[in-house]
């Protein structure tokens, strides 16, 4: 994981309405994207660990994380999108030294780039409370889908029908 530019002890307390808006945006994401995001944000797992745990490629994990972070943008802004993509890419085990140099050049090219990257870090930190709400029952830690009550009911019904059908044959 890359070193963040802001000190770790910084705590941003977003307003309740802002947290609810972020939670709503996160809930709108596909379930697998939510799972990858929560494993990263709440459990602080690296992309490589998440990939192994969910049997995904590192690139898929990175794509899901980028999708989650981009979904939290209040409005599409090219600079914010680029900063988010860099933020996610810097966490990836696939990042190369050349890409790190490109990031540094991008960051140094314009003071607005640095400001956008700091804003992305702050946004990432503001996602902790919505992430806790989204993952409160720890569903995201399951490596595969659990049997639902509906699915079990259907299976039991089919089994009972099979037993009854066999009973009529004998």
């Amino acid at each position: 994981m890359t070193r963040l530019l802001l000190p770790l002890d910084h705590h941003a307390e977003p307003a309740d309405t802002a947290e609810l808006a972020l939670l709503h945006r996160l809930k709108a994401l596909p379930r697998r994207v939510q799972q990858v995001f929560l494993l990263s944000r709440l459990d602080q797992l690296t992309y490589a660990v998440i990939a192994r745990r969910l049997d995904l490629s590192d690139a898929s994990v990175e794509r899901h994380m980028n999708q989650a972070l981009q979904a939290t943008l209040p409005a599409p802004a090219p600079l914010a999108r680029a900063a988010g993509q860099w933020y996610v890419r810097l966490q990836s085990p696939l990042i190369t030294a050349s890409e790190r140099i490109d990031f540094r050049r991008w960051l140094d090219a314009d003071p607005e780039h640095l400001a956008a990257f700091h804003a992305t870090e702050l946004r990432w930190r503001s996602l902790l409370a919505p992430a806790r709400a989204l993952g409160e029952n720890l569903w995201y830690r399951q490596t595969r889908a659990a049997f639902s009550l509906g699915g079990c009911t259907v299976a039991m019904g089919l089994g009972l029908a099979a037993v009854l059908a066999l009973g009529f044959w004998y």
Side-chain angles (χ1 to χ4, degrees):
M1 185 127 10
T2 187
R3 201 174 116 222
L4 301 176
L5 297 177
L6 293 176
L8 288 176
D9 57 305
H10 174 78
H11 297 287
E13 295 293 330
D16 289 324
T17 55
E19 284 181 10
L20 288 174
L22 288 172
L23 179 59
H24 179 71
R25 287 188 197 122
L26 291 171
K27 282 184 174 181
L29 292 169
R31 198 78 163 160
R32 179 62 80 177
V33 174
Q34 292 178 25
Q35 186 178 25
V36 168
F37 165 73
L38 292 172
L39 287 169
S40 174
R41 186 67 189 106
L42 296 180
D43 293 358
Q44 299 180 352
L45 299 180
T46 64
Y47 292 0
V49 171
I50 295 169
R52 278 193 308 276
R53 186 172 187 171
L54 300 180
D55 195 28
L56 297 171
S57 68
D58 290 337
S60 291
V61 171
E62 185 177 340
R63 189 173 48 256
H64 290 328
M65 283 301 298
N66 195 38
Q67 187 177 354
L69 192 58
Q70 297 297 330
T72 64
L73 284 171
L79 195 55
R81 280 195 170 298
Q85 289 169 344
W86 275 120
Y87 189 83
V88 169
R89 185 64 183 163
L90 289 169
Q91 317 294 319
S92 175
L94 302 176
I95 192 164
T96 64
S98 175
E99 288 174 308
R100 289 185 186 279
I101 292 168
D102 289 343
F103 166 69
R104 195 68 227 179
R105 286 182 182 147
W106 177 82
L107 205 58
D108 294 339
D110 190 329
E112 288 184 12
H113 293 180
L114 181 61
F117 194 78
H118 279 298
T120 300
E121 287 181 315
L122 291 174
R123 186 167 16 110
W124 176 253
R125 291 163 193 261
S126 74
L127 294 176
L128 186 56
R132 285 182 179 145
L134 183 62
E136 68 184 342
N137 63 0
L138 305 178
W139 65 267
Y140 65 93
R141 289 185 177 167
Q142 298 171 356
T143 54
R144 57 190 144 137
F147 291 107
S148 66
L149 183 58
C152 289
T153 304
V154 170
M156 288 181 0
L158 290 174
L160 182 60
V163 168
L164 291 175
L166 288 175
F168 288 123
W169 289 97
Y170 291 108

